[in-house]
Amino acid sequence: MYSLVTKVRLDRESISNYDIILTATDLGQPPLSTVTNLWLKVSDVNDNAPVFDRATYSAYVAENNSPGTSIFRVKAMDPDSGQNARISYFLTETRVGEALASSYISIGTGTGVITTLRSFDYEQIKQLSFTVSAQDGGSPPLSSNATVNIHVQDQNDNAPQILYPLQTSGSILAEIVPRSADVGYLVTKVVAVDVDSGQNAWLTYKFQKATDRALFEVGTQNGEIKTIRQITDKDAVKQKLTVVVEDNGQPSRSATVNLNVAVADSFPEVLSEFTDLTPDKEYNDNLTFFLVLALAVVSFLFVTSLVVIISVKIYRWRQSNTYYQSNLPVIPYYPPHFPDNGGAGTLHRVYNYDMYKTTDSRKSDYKFTGPCGQNVLIVDPSASGTIRRVDSEKNILDEPDSPLEVRRYLMT
């Protein structure tokens, strides 16, 4: 019987397998022995945490990047085997400014690839520092951390901003230069700033327009406007300068500022020269456009109202002419030898009156039509209401014997 006992601590990561030869020898003379081989494999225990290849990572990303851009990859190793060596990557809850790092970037759980979740703005955030954790799949799991610094690279996405002189719409600002000023007299200084960094924030100043380029110069680096010669009486009182401020980015961005310079010794002289200055042309153009638009709308509404009123007046006038009632007296005409039988009421003559009226005339005419064929129907009172048809000489033609026949006579 024998037992195999370890003499030192076994480490699978150092020696994972052992090839052991066992020999059993007796004490006889001569001694006899036998040999056997034992193959020993050391099983893994999760006794090693993942290890990053670097304790600190640094990466760079340009601002205004597209969301979903892959920046770089972190990598960790675990000397264990199997499930104990399976590594997952996570972001720790690290704050970047007022937000969490997880709102800016994400990391692939199985790959360790760091990806942006939003577009970065260098003027708002210049660097992101956060911690990445690598955890194995053992039980219990072991983990380690690494620090990641992402530097946002500036892009020339901001134009220079003019701080002085202030540009106010509709007001006239002028710098006064006395005629006795010497060469190199400081007229004013243009102050500008660019929120970008590096060469994107390097500013240069130059004239874009000038009333007299031989009278003033502007400092390329400092923006100081000075006289370069002695002022003479021939120089105009009113001098207008346009300075352009340009950065050194690629592509470059610029801003312009307009300055009014008065070459005079007294304030009344300056006032008389600058009273004819008009406000900004663009402002005037906009104001004129809105005034013309308002005038056109008012004119259109006025013409429309006028047309509607005239149309209503004409309609009512035509309606009144169509149904015009004349106040002229009507004098009836009675044909000669016409009998006055059966008459009742205010008209004692049995006769037909037809009235015709025109729409275009204010006169009303009456047409008196005689009975057709000079035949009329009369009622004979002596004959108990008998209806007879007679001619103009009162000769009896016939007597209708039925209401239907009387109706036919009346209709004809």
Side-chain angles (χ1 to χ4, degrees), residues 294-306:
L295 181 61
V297 172
V298 172
S299 301
F300 174 76
L301 294 177
F302 173 76
V303 172
T304 304
S305 302
L306 190 62

Side-chain angles (χ1 to χ4, degrees), residues 217-259:
E217 69 174 357
V218 58
T220 305
Q221 303 299 327
N222 54 24
E224 293 181 350
I225 299 177
K226 298 180 180 180
T227 59
I228 56 177
R229 65 171 175 83
Q230 196 71 35
I231 299 175
T232 63
D233 294 337
K234 296 181 180 180
D235 293 325
V237 175
K238 183 171 53 179
Q239 301 281 337
K240 187 172 183 179
L241 308 176
T242 301
V243 179
V244 57
V245 184
E246 191 175 69
D247 60 25
N248 199 36
Q250 294 296 331
S252 63
R253 295 177 178 269
S254 61
T256 58
V257 57
N258 297 319
L259 298 97

